[in-house]
Amino acid sequence: MFDLMEKFLVTDMGRQKVPGFSVAVVRGGDIVWSKGFGYSNLEEKTLASPETVYRVASVSKPVVATGLLQWMEKDRFCLDDPANSLMENVKIQTRFRKQPTVRNLLSHTSGLPVHADPVCFDLSQTVPLEEMIRRSAITTRPPNEEIVYSNTAFNIAGYLVGLFAGGPYPDYMKKNVLDPLEMHSSAFEQTPEIRKMMAQPYSRKKTDAPIEAVKPWYGGSLPEKPCGSLFSSVMDLGRFLIAQMNRGVHEGTRILNEETIDEMHKLQASAGKSRSGYGLSWKRTWHYGNLMMSHTGGNLGWTAHMAFYPELRAGIIILCNLNDNSGWRPPAREALSILVDGAPSISPKTTKMKRPLKQWKKLIGTYTRESRNVNVKAEKGSLILERGREKAHLEKLDESRYLVHGGGSDGMELTFEFDKKGAATRFDLETETFPRFVEDKRPIDKEERMIGTWRGDYVHSYGYFTMNLKIDSQIHASATDMQGNVISVSSFKAHRGRLTGEMRFKVPPEYAGWGADEFQATLDLAAIEGRLEGKMHLKSEIGESVVPLTLSRT
């Protein structure tokens, strides 16, 4: 099976034009196969190997969680303790009555939003870890309302590790997690030794753009952000995975109790009514019928993926020195499935019906999440999940569960939820829920005189911002960008309760390192119930996003 897996990986990585990558496979208590492919440094023609060190980005999170849970075993806290009761010089800012707990932090249910940490090319640009947390630890929803992936939550986890230890969290992690697991090529800081073993990272602004070498950078704070600053090799992470699969033990050394490992792997937060979601730090899903624990990672110049089947005690780690800003991650779960079951089935023949099932009528329609519409449709005898240009076939498992064949969620379970009449109201896939699209039928106030000043807050992955919009006439307006600069709104039109316009936003300087220093911002708002409501579309050289926006008169 190793030859089949290797052929698959080489083909997929070649398609992505990855400079170099390393792979390790774990079975039971051993690393049974490892190999490097391509170049760790294109310019110097240095080959990648199993010992090559990469920044593993968010694959750091389960490792940080392990360090924090050691303190739970020492009775320093309980999982359901409010995080603010443990924190000292910095607190989570929340307007909600219910406080996020440590369990919420580790299961992405704290109410903290997605937050990309700054990229600094000089140590003088960094801030203390506490200060970075202070700027980003602001909740936008109550805890347990929804799974929302949060980097800040795991920065807080690392902060707590250091707080309990009475020193920098990297020191504790080295002494109590990395060294006991013989992860001697790993560290949460860029030591001279790590730099010597580290691959050269590369970036691509778009999938068809040339590859560019990335110069050394720091994750916004000192010590560096715990959520994504582990430097490691596939061999070292293989040892970590062995401890996870062997209920806390590697080579006779125990780093966590069996009960704690069980808690890490237990479903802590589900996506809707599905049986997938998050454990403690681990994404917990079902892949071709096997329980899978996994975590991906990606930051400037690096991508990573670690996945394992705990019941089969089989796992894989893939580390790469390229991030192409497409959202692509190394195909670890596909490779693992090949190792366990042979080539994964993506043939639509397994899902075709001579006659479409009557139940399909209650499933077909448009669903949505964060302004992304997804369609479920019947096509040539198959039930199809359509996400943008991607199409996947759905194979019925039972009345509510379907197996996804093809696309980015190949092999995963999709769960439909129904109302009392049996019509699908939403579906749950991996860690996300997609409610059925419902048109906002609130009337637009076509008589609203929009001239004046409007103000509102919005959340972007770069932080929390306030927009002041000054409308001078139906065709002239100005607004504040992410840095508070007043800029003119071009192609502006405000008529009969609808407002559109375009602006060029300067990216906050601490985020320009990601590869873009400017956004093209497009406003699309409507006068509803005395406010301007709608969305702002933000597009840059490296990607695009949509943020909800509500403005009130000042």
Side-chain angles (χ1 to χ4, degrees):
M1 287 300 179
F2 291 124
D3 289 343
L4 186 61
M5 180 200 70
E6 182 175 335
K7 182 179 178 181
F8 165 77
L9 287 174
V10 169
T11 300
D12 192 77
M13 297 297 191
R15 189 183 302 116
Q16 295 298 134
K17 299 178 181 178
V18 174
F21 66 100
S22 303
V23 186
V25 174
V26 176
R27 284 276 197 174
D30 298 298
I31 298 172
V32 295
W33 187 91
S34 62
K35 193 170 182 178
F37 300 83
Y39 295 99
S40 65
N41 188 307
L42 282 171
E43 291 74 23
E44 298 180 3
K45 301 300 180 185
T46 307
L47 296 176
S49 75
E51 287 75 32
T52 300
V53 169
Y54 303 76
R55 183 191 282 263
V56 306
S58 288
V59 170
S60 307
K61 289 179 171 67
V63 185
V64 169
T66 298
L68 181 59
L69 291 171
Q70 287 179 341
W71 286 106
M72 181 189 74
E73 293 181 348
K74 298 172 185 176
D75 296 325
R76 289 299 299 267
F77 69 92
C78 297
L79 283 173
D80 293 316
D81 286 344
N84 276 344
S85 70
L86 306 171
M87 300 168 71
E88 291 187 356
N89 297 327
V90 62
K91 303 285 185 180
I92 298 171
Q93 301 175 54
T94 182
R95 66 181 187 276
F96 304 104
R97 181 184 60 81
K98 196 169 183 181
Q99 296 285 316
T101 64
V102 178
R103 190 188 304 274
N104 292 139
L105 294 179
L106 298 183
S107 60
H108 296 288
T109 54
S110 64
L112 293 166
V114 175
H115 187 271
D117 293 318
V119 169
C120 302
F121 294 107
D122 192 283
L123 280 174
S124 65
Q125 299 171 332
T126 61
V127 298
L129 177 58
E130 286 185 3
E131 178 58 27
M132 190 165 74
I133 292 171
R134 182 175 291 107
R135 296 176 184 180
S136 59
I138 306 170
T139 63
T140 57
R141 53 175 53 82
N144 297 313
E145 182 178 273
E146 185 181 4
I147 293 174
V148 178
Y149 189 85
S150 174
N151 287 315
T152 299
F154 279 81
N155 287 338
I156 294 171
Y159 156 81
L160 288 173
V161 169
L163 182 66
F164 296 147
Y169 85 89
D171 294 350
Y172 177 88
M173 294 299 299
K174 175 176 170 54
K175 182 178 179 181
N176 296 276
V177 178
L178 304 181
D179 284 351
L181 291 177
E182 299 180 8
M183 297 173 67
H184 300 309
S185 296
S186 301
F188 278 90
E189 51 191 349
Q190 299 184 51
T191 63
E193 293 76 19
I194 289 293
R195 282 281 180 89
K196 289 177 184 178
M197 297 182 287
M198 194 167 73
Q200 167 63 50
Y202 297 90
S203 182
R204 186 188 293 127
K205 290 186 177 180
K206 295 180 180 178
T207 52
D208 57 350
I211 288 174
E212 300 177 359
V214 175
K215 60 184 180 180
W217 59 273
Y218 302 90
S221 68
L222 278 183
E224 282 202 66
K225 57 178 184 177
C227 72
S229 290
L230 175 64
F231 297 85
S232 191
S233 68
V234 294
M235 298 300 289
D236 277 7
L237 285 174
R239 298 177 183 100
F240 176 78
L241 214 51
I242 288 170
Q244 286 286 316
M245 293 194 296
N246 288 353
R247 304 191 72 190
V249 175
H250 172 261
E251 296 288 345
T253 299
R254 177 170 293 283
I255 60 164
L256 284 177
N257 294 332
E258 290 186 6
E259 297 78 12
T260 305
I261 290 288
D262 291 344
E263 194 69 32
M264 282 190 82
H265 297 177
K266 186 174 78 175
L267 184 63
Q268 303 285 338
S270 63
K273 294 182 179 179
S274 74
R275 56 178 189 162
S276 298
Y278 273 103
L280 297 180
S281 76
W282 289 109
K283 185 177 182 179
R284 189 182 194 275
T285 53
W286 293 84
H287 188 242
Y288 281 111
N290 294 311
L291 175 63
M292 171 178 277
M293 314 298 294
S294 65
H295 214 297
T296 60
N299 50 30
L300 184 60
W302 310 98
T303 46
H305 198 165
M306 178 163 61
F308 66 103
Y309 296 142
E311 294 172 352
L312 301 180
R313 298 177 70 212
I316 189 169
I317 307 102
I318 309 176
L319 304 179
C320 300
N321 62 344
L322 173 72
N323 190 333
D324 65 2
N325 289 299
S326 69
W328 174 86
R329 297 294 181 263
R333 58 193 186 193
E334 293 87 347
L336 185 57
S337 180
I338 291 172
L339 284 173
V340 172
D341 298 316
S345 170
I346 58 172
S347 172
K349 293 180 181 178
T350 63
T351 68
K352 241 171 200 185
M353 310 288 291
K354 290 182 179 179
R355 293 181 181 178
L357 297 176
K358 289 183 179 180
Q359 188 195 22
W360 286 6
K361 292 182 180 180
K362 296 183 179 182
L363 308 178
I364 290 169
T366 300
Y367 299 78
T368 188
R369 180 178 174 85
E370 297 174 352
S371 300
R372 292 177 290 149
N373 286 348
V374 179
N375 294 309
V376 175
K377 58 172 66 173
E379 189 176 282
K380 298 179 181 179
S382 292
L383 191 64
I384 300 294
L385 176 68
E386 186 178 67
R387 293 191 281 187
R389 298 179 181 178
E390 177 185 290
K391 286 187 178 182
H393 293 73
L394 300 181
E395 179 184 3
K396 186 176 180 180
L397 299 175
D398 59 30
E399 291 305 308
S400 62
R401 294 185 303 125
Y402 285 73
L403 181 64
V404 180
H405 290 273
S409 295
D410 180 56
M412 293 295 177
E413 279 186 4
L414 182 151
T415 302
F416 285 100
E417 298 186 35
F418 303 93
D419 61 19
K420 293 180 180 179
K421 296 181 179 179
T425 57
R426 71 178 183 181
F427 71 79
D428 313 315
L429 181 59
E430 301 191 46
T431 61
E432 297 182 321
T433 59
F434 293 78
R436 189 181 283 274
F437 175 78
V438 178
E439 184 181 357
D440 187 349
K441 295 184 178 179
R442 293 177 299 166
I444 296 174
D445 186 356
K446 297 180 180 179
E447 304 302 319
E448 172 68 51
R449 190 173 180 272
M450 291 182 280
I451 292 173
T453 303
W454 302 77
R455 179 186 177 92
D457 299 329
Y458 62 96
V459 180
H460 182 266
S461 59
Y462 288 175
Y464 307 82
F465 304 98
T466 298
M467 174 180 285
N468 290 299
L469 175 65
K470 187 174 183 292
I471 303 175
D472 298 314
S473 70
Q474 289 186 342
I475 59 172
H476 290 106
S478 60
T480 51
D481 66 7
M482 287 180 169
Q483 298 185 51
N485 303 312
V486 177
I487 55 177
S488 177
V489 182
S490 63
S491 304
F492 182 75
K493 184 178 179 180
H495 181 64
R496 294 183 63 78
R498 299 302 300 261
L499 180 158
T500 58
E502 298 180 355
M503 304 165 285
R504 289 198 174 275
F505 275 15
K506 281 292 183 184
V507 169
E510 62 270 28
Y511 289 96
W514 283 100
D517 59 7
E518 182 177 85
F519 283 119
Q520 176 68 42
T522 303
L523 292 176
D524 185 4
L525 304 174
I528 300 175
E529 298 176 353
R531 299 183 298 183
L532 298 180
E533 295 187 26
K535 59 188 178 182
M536 178 169 57
H537 182 260
L538 295 165
K539 187 176 182 179
S540 74
E541 288 184 275
I542 60 171
E544 52 190 292
S545 60
V546 177
V547 297
L549 183 63
T550 298
L551 306 177
S552 301
R553 279 194 183 275
T554 61

